[in-house]
Amino acid sequence: MSNKVSYVTKEGLKKLQDELERLQNVERPKISKAIGEAIEKGDISENAEYDAAKDAQGLLEAKIAQLKDTIASCRVIDESQIDTSKVQMLNKVTIKNTKTGATMTYTLVSETEANFKEGKLSIHTPIAQALVGKKLGDKVMVKVPAGEMEFEIMDISL
């Protein structure tokens, strides 16, 4: 079991719990049925279907265990206690690339809730790490694979 605490929203925790329930109540019975059908076909020592089903079962059980571990280490953040005077978890931050003038808006979330297409950036990314604790108008340097980029914080909200 990991000791790493993940901070999530209520919605993020619900999503994890729903996924765990789906794996346990839908996927697990499917795999058990596939194993049962493979066993009915006779000699399991040379049965590729049985081997594949057992491998899938092992992977599923590992995923279930990992998800249970993640859920156990989750702490739900009370969104009413979030401050917008400086950048922190669950803030929506608008930043401007000082070189190109391009602006981007990201919500800083836990790794489990990160989804770049939805503008949800993991708190563990280099950009998020550089922004945390900074205030409106601050400029930050971020090391990215292409080198260093400077961003200015244009807005901090919920």
Side-chain angles (χ1 to χ4, degrees):
M1 180 160 162
S2 80
N3 293 328
K4 187 176 171 186
V5 174
S6 293
Y7 293 95
V8 295
T9 59
K10 285 180 191 172
E11 297 81 35
L13 181 59
K14 172 105 173 78
K15 199 167 147 184
L16 291 171
Q17 291 168 331
D18 289 348
E19 174 67 2
L20 177 62
E21 189 167 320
R22 185 187 68 79
L23 293 176
Q24 290 177 321
N25 299 328
V26 177
E27 298 303 320
R28 188 183 267 164
K30 269 190 208 173
I31 289 176
S32 293
K33 185 177 178 201
I35 290 171
E37 288 172 357
I39 289 172
E40 287 175 5
K41 293 183 179 172
D43 184 14
I44 60 172
S45 64
E46 293 180 22
N47 186 330
E49 282 181 47
Y50 176 78
D51 290 341
K54 286 300 277 182
D55 288 346
Q57 182 183 41
L59 292 171
L60 178 70
E61 292 305 324
K63 192 171 182 180
I64 287 171
Q66 181 184 19
L67 207 45
K68 282 181 175 180
D69 187 32
T70 300
I71 290 170
S73 66
C74 281
R75 300 294 172 264
V76 177
I77 295 175
D78 180 355
E79 294 180 49
S80 69
Q81 300 297 313
I82 296 174
D83 180 17
T84 57
S85 66
K86 61 183 184 222
V87 178
Q88 62 182 336
M89 182 82 157
L90 291 184
N91 282 153
K92 185 179 278 191
V93 184
T94 301
I95 55 175
K96 180 171 81 173
N97 182 323
T98 57
K99 188 175 182 182
T100 65
T103 61
M104 297 145 279
T105 301
Y106 299 113
T107 302
L108 304 185
V109 296
S110 68
E111 279 184 58
T112 57
E113 293 183 81
N115 184 331
F116 196 72
K117 288 180 183 174
E118 293 177 8
K120 294 181 178 180
L121 196 61
S122 168
I123 195 81
H124 299 294
T125 61
I127 291 175
Q129 289 290 295
L131 294 172
V132 170
K134 302 297 187 277
K135 296 180 182 335
L136 190 64
D138 283 357
K139 293 186 178 176
V140 296
M141 291 300 288
V142 181
K143 281 191 176 179
V144 293
E148 282 196 336
M149 298 174 77
E150 185 179 52
F151 295 102
E152 182 180 350
I153 299 173
M154 306 302 288
D155 187 42
I156 305 169
S157 62
L158 289 178

